[in-house]
Amino acid sequence: MNPLAPPGYVLDVNVADVWRYEARHAGRHLLVASPLLAAILLIAGFGLPGAGFARAWLAEAAPPLLAGLAAAAIVAGERAVELHLSLPTPLRRTLGRRLALLGASTAAGALLLGAGLLPDARALSRFAQLCGFGAMLVAAGAWAAAALRSVPGASTVVLAAWLADLLVLDRILIGPAARTAAEFVLAALLAAPASRLLAEGCGLIGGSRE
């Protein structure tokens, strides 16, 4: 056994390399989608003061749906599950990092859309709403993808959760603060079983059923 590493072989991987690796495997197009959509909406005049109800509604409803669909694609799209289950780093941690990057991207898009209302005080409310709605749909997408191992199936669950939030929660709960709090609670409730399924890993073997 040769104790010397061959030329060009890197023994240590720094934190930045790990996150770059996860960003590449999560899909950079998925990670930039939320801020890009937010920028496009603002440039087109959606979500700005005086934009009107329909345009404001679209600016607050479309980005969370995109985040949920991206989460489903990240989890169900992993094709090397067997390999990950044999590595020292748990699959749950690997996919957790990728979903954390998606969460940061979703928050960045929410920040852009919230800033579009400045200096109005509603800017902070919009940011919180987008984060809560996005967190709930990301958790729903991750859970459905881990349970169904199907991008179309998980996407259908995300769409159903999106409609339920808009048609049920928005009607039952009075005020954006109550709705946002409920969305974060639902996100936590969905994240727990998703984490358990990813830790077990058994249901993920066999590749994505697209």
Side-chain angles (χ1 to χ4, degrees):
M1 175 177 166
N2 185 0
L4 299 177
Y9 184 79
V10 179
L11 293 175
D12 297 319
V13 178
N14 60 42
V15 174
D17 289 334
V18 170
W19 287 103
R20 277 195 293 268
Y21 173 87
E22 300 299 4
R24 184 169 67 252
H25 284 268
R28 292 192 178 99
H29 61 293
L30 296 176
L31 298 182
V32 302
S34 186
L36 181 60
L37 175 62
I40 291 172
L41 288 171
L42 291 176
I43 291 171
F46 289 72
L48 295 174
F53 174 79
R55 291 189 171 203
W57 179 88
L58 183 62
E60 295 173 5
L65 177 60
L66 179 64
L69 295 175
I74 287 172
V75 175
E78 176 54 58
R79 299 180 182 276
V81 174
E82 296 92 335
L83 174 61
H84 280 288
L85 292 176
S86 68
L87 296 176
T89 302
L91 175 64
R92 174 170 57 182
R93 185 181 304 170
T94 297
L95 291 175
R97 289 191 189 117
R98 297 175 190 178
L99 292 174
L101 288 170
L102 177 63
S105 170
T106 302
L111 186 62
L112 281 174
L113 285 168
L117 287 178
L118 290 175
D120 195 304
R122 292 177 299 162
L124 182 58
S125 176
R126 171 180 284 178
F127 172 73
Q129 280 183 271
L130 287 168
C131 287
F133 200 179
M136 187 190 78
L137 293 184
V138 165
W143 168 77
L148 302 176
R149 194 54 184 165
S150 164
V151 175
S155 299
T156 301
V157 172
V158 169
L159 181 59
W162 180 72
L163 289 172
D165 187 289
L166 295 174
L167 300 178
V168 179
L169 281 185
D170 192 37
R171 300 294 185 271
I172 294 176
L173 300 175
I174 300 175
R179 178 183 168 190
T180 300
E183 287 165 344
F184 276 118
V185 170
L186 289 171
L189 293 175
L190 288 167
S195 177
R196 185 177 64 253
L197 288 170
L198 293 177
E200 294 169 355
C202 298
L204 298 179
I205 296 177
S208 178
R209 297 193 296 269
E210 297 179 292

